[in-house]
PDB file of all heavy atoms in Angstrom:
ATOM      1  N   ILE A  14     107.176 121.820 127.583  1.00 98.00           N
ATOM      2  CA  ILE A  14     108.089 121.127 126.662  1.00 98.00           C
ATOM      3  C   ILE A  14     109.297 122.018 126.360  1.00 98.00           C
ATOM      4  O   ILE A  14     110.450 121.569 126.375  1.00 98.00           O
ATOM      5  CB  ILE A  14     107.350 120.730 125.371  1.00 98.00           C
ATOM      6  CG1 ILE A  14     106.320 119.627 125.654  1.00 98.00           C
ATOM      7  CG2 ILE A  14     108.337 120.263 124.296  1.00 98.00           C
ATOM      8  CD1 ILE A  14     105.391 119.333 124.496  1.00 98.00           C
ATOM      9  N   LYS A  15     109.033 123.287 126.088  1.00 98.00           N
ATOM     10  CA  LYS A  15     110.122 124.222 125.790  1.00 98.00           C
ATOM     11  C   LYS A  15     111.041 124.407 126.993  1.00 98.00           C
ATOM     12  O   LYS A  15     112.261 124.557 126.838  1.00 98.00           O
ATOM     13  CB  LYS A  15     109.546 125.572 125.351  1.00 98.00           C
ATOM     14  CG  LYS A  15     108.864 125.534 123.982  1.00 98.00           C
ATOM     15  CD  LYS A  15     108.288 126.895 123.612  1.00 98.00           C
ATOM     16  CE  LYS A  15     107.660 126.868 122.223  1.00 98.00           C
ATOM     17  NZ  LYS A  15     107.062 128.183 121.846  1.00 98.00           N
ATOM     18  N   LEU A  16     110.465 124.357 128.160  1.00 98.00           N
ATOM     19  CA  LEU A  16     111.267 124.500 129.372  1.00 98.00           C
ATOM     20  C   LEU A  16     112.191 123.292 129.563  1.00 98.00           C
ATOM     21  O   LEU A  16     113.320 123.420 130.031  1.00 98.00           O
ATOM     22  CB  LEU A  16     110.346 124.656 130.579  1.00 98.00           C
ATOM     23  CG  LEU A  16     110.993 125.096 131.899  1.00 98.00           C
ATOM     24  CD1 LEU A  16     111.621 126.480 131.760  1.00 98.00           C
ATOM     25  CD2 LEU A  16     109.957 125.099 133.023  1.00 98.00           C
ATOM     26  N   VAL A  18     113.430 121.106 127.057  1.00 98.00           N
ATOM     27  CA  VAL A  18     114.474 120.898 126.039  1.00 98.00           C
ATOM     28  C   VAL A  18     115.066 122.194 125.504  1.00 98.00           C
ATOM     29  O   VAL A  18     116.065 122.160 124.774  1.00 98.00           O
ATOM     30  CB  VAL A  18     113.944 120.043 124.866  1.00 98.00           C
ATOM     31  CG1 VAL A  18     113.512 118.677 125.343  1.00 98.00           C
ATOM     32  CG2 VAL A  18     112.818 120.744 124.125  1.00 98.00           C
ATOM     33  N   GLY A  19     114.453 123.308 125.819  1.00 98.00           N
ATOM     34  CA  GLY A  19     114.902 124.576 125.261  1.00 98.00           C
ATOM     35  C   GLY A  19     114.085 124.950 124.043  1.00 98.00           C
ATOM     36  O   GLY A  19     113.724 124.084 123.233  1.00 98.00           O
ATOM     37  N   GLU A  20     113.800 126.227 123.900  1.00 98.00           N
ATOM     38  CA  GLU A  20     112.918 126.677 122.820  1.00 98.00           C
ATOM     39  C   GLU A  20     113.478 126.359 121.442  1.00 98.00           C
ATOM     40  O   GLU A  20     112.727 126.056 120.508  1.00 98.00           O
ATOM     41  CB  GLU A  20     112.675 128.183 122.954  1.00 98.00           C
ATOM     42  CG  GLU A  20     111.554 128.690 122.071  1.00 98.00           C
ATOM     43  CD  GLU A  20     110.999 130.025 122.528  1.00 98.00           C
ATOM     44  OE1 GLU A  20     111.366 130.479 123.630  1.00 98.00           O
ATOM     45  OE2 GLU A  20     110.207 130.597 121.776  1.00 98.00           O
ATOM     46  N   ASP A  21     114.810 126.391 121.299  1.00 98.00           N
ATOM     47  CA  ASP A  21     115.427 126.112 120.002  1.00 98.00           C
ATOM     48  C   ASP A  21     115.283 124.650 119.583  1.00 98.00           C
ATOM     49  O   ASP A  21     115.490 124.319 118.409  1.00 98.00           O
ATOM     50  CB  ASP A  21     116.915 126.476 120.035  1.00 98.00           C
ATOM     51  CG  ASP A  21     117.150 127.972 120.132  1.00 98.00           C
ATOM     52  OD1 ASP A  21     116.189 128.727 119.875  1.00 98.00           O
ATOM     53  OD2 ASP A  21     118.278 128.385 120.470  1.00 98.00           O
ATOM     54  N   ALA A  22     114.942 123.773 120.529  1.00 98.00           N
ATOM     55  CA  ALA A  22     114.815 122.337 120.233  1.00 98.00           C
ATOM     56  C   ALA A  22     113.360 121.909 120.103  1.00 98.00           C
ATOM     57  O   ALA A  22     113.040 120.724 120.222  1.00 98.00           O
ATOM     58  CB  ALA A  22     115.505 121.525 121.316  1.00 98.00           C
ATOM     59  N   VAL A  23     112.480 122.874 119.832  1.00 98.00           N
ATOM     60  CA  VAL A  23     111.050 122.588 119.682  1.00 98.00           C
ATOM     61  C   VAL A  23     110.577 123.131 118.327  1.00 98.00           C
ATOM     62  O   VAL A  23     110.914 124.254 117.947  1.00 98.00           O
ATOM     63  CB  VAL A  23     110.223 123.227 120.818  1.00 98.00           C
ATOM     64  CG1 VAL A  23     108.734 123.009 120.590  1.00 98.00           C
ATOM     65  CG2 VAL A  23     110.646 122.638 122.158  1.00 98.00           C
ATOM     66  N   ILE A  24     109.821 122.307 117.608  1.00 98.00           N
ATOM     67  CA  ILE A  24     109.269 122.710 116.309  1.00 98.00           C
ATOM     68  C   ILE A  24     107.743 122.693 116.393  1.00 98.00           C
ATOM     69  O   ILE A  24     107.158 121.693 116.836  1.00 98.00           O
ATOM     70  CB  ILE A  24     109.729 121.764 115.186  1.00 98.00           C
ATOM     71  CG1 ILE A  24     111.251 121.777 115.058  1.00 98.00           C
ATOM     72  CG2 ILE A  24     109.080 122.138 113.842  1.00 98.00           C
ATOM     73  CD1 ILE A  24     111.792 120.737 114.092  1.00 98.00           C
TER      74      ILE A  24
END
Side-chain angles (χ1 to χ4, degrees):
I14 291 171
K15 291 179 178 179
L16 192 62
V18 299
E20 192 160 351
D21 291 344
V23 176
I24 299 173

